[in-house]
Amino acid sequence: MKKNILSFAVLVAALSFALPSQAQFKFGVKAGLNMNSVSLKDYQGNLDGDNRTGFFAGVTADFTIPLAGLGVEASLLYENKSIALSDGTSESKKTLHYVSLPINAKYTIGFSSLASVYFATGPQFSWNVGDRSWKPANIQQGWELNKSEFSWNIGAGVTALKHIRVGYNYNIGIGKTAEASVLNTAIQGVKGKLKNNTHQVSLTYIF
């Protein structure tokens, strides 16, 4: 996996340096909804993850070679992600705060001067800037949230009138978001990992 990530980073860097003089640079602002899907791994308790909605906002920039349709988009985002766990009788929610840096390779198909569609994929690096300790009420396990996360984006969207971009993205968590820390000494053998995948719908205005 690390070798694949390094290869992708080298490809993105090479594409950026190889952009010809006619390449287009665009800057914009982006915002949208996060719809989180929580899953538990290696966990032997009776908890289930519930889906929750959050939001994100920030700035974005992309380089595009008009004739080839190839490009790179990078964004700097604040992300608010809400997750929840339930043991069947009670539910506990936690709001996560991240600064995220998605870097996507893009392929754009222009249908006319008024509209185009794009497909994108690439890595995302996120840093937890909120409280890292989660101790759900009435649930016997606490969770220690990671300082940072690595994930992968797969997305597509439409750009209209050269300024309005609507997109969908699926952010796939790689590794763990949090790890269980037992609060009850009677169940010290219980452990597990929490992973967060996110559906995203975005609206971007390109200047």
Side-chain angles (χ1 to χ4, degrees), residues 53 70 95 104 129 165 197:
T53 301
L70 299 175
T95 299
N104 295 321
V129 294
R165 180 180 296 165
N197 296 328

Side-chain angles (χ1 to χ4, degrees), residues 21-147:
S21 58
Q22 68 268 28
Q24 296 179 351
F25 171 78
K26 296 181 179 180
F27 174 80
V29 291
K30 175 186 287 188
L33 295 178
N34 286 323
M35 291 158 281
N36 304 312
S37 174
V38 176
S39 61
L40 296 169
K41 183 179 179 181
D42 300 329
Y43 184 78
Q44 300 174 352
N46 64 338
L47 294 180
D48 291 312
D50 290 336
N51 299 340
R52 286 292 180 270
T53 301
F55 67 91
F56 61 91
V59 294
T60 188
D62 60 45
F63 296 90
T64 304
I65 304 173
L67 295 179
L70 299 175
V72 178
E73 179 184 28
S75 302
L76 184 62
L77 306 172
Y78 162 73
E79 290 199 83
N80 175 296
K81 295 185 177 182
S82 180
I83 60 177
L85 292 174
S86 172
D87 62 0
T89 59
S90 61
E91 182 183 72
S92 179
K93 294 182 288 185
K94 176 73 173 179
T95 299
L96 311 181
H97 303 274
Y98 291 98
V99 171
S100 296
L101 178 65
I103 304 173
N104 295 321
K106 293 179 62 178
Y107 177 64
T108 301
I109 303 173
F111 294 110
S112 69
S113 61
L114 299 179
S116 62
V117 298
Y118 71 87
F119 303 91
T121 187
Q124 176 169 308
F125 307 89
S126 300
W127 294 270
N128 188 340
V129 294
D131 183 9
R132 293 180 53 225
S133 179
W134 182 17
K135 297 181 179 179
N138 301 320
I139 296 177
Q140 298 300 320
Q141 289 81 41
W143 296 85
E144 187 69 18
L145 300 167
N146 285 359
K147 293 181 181 179

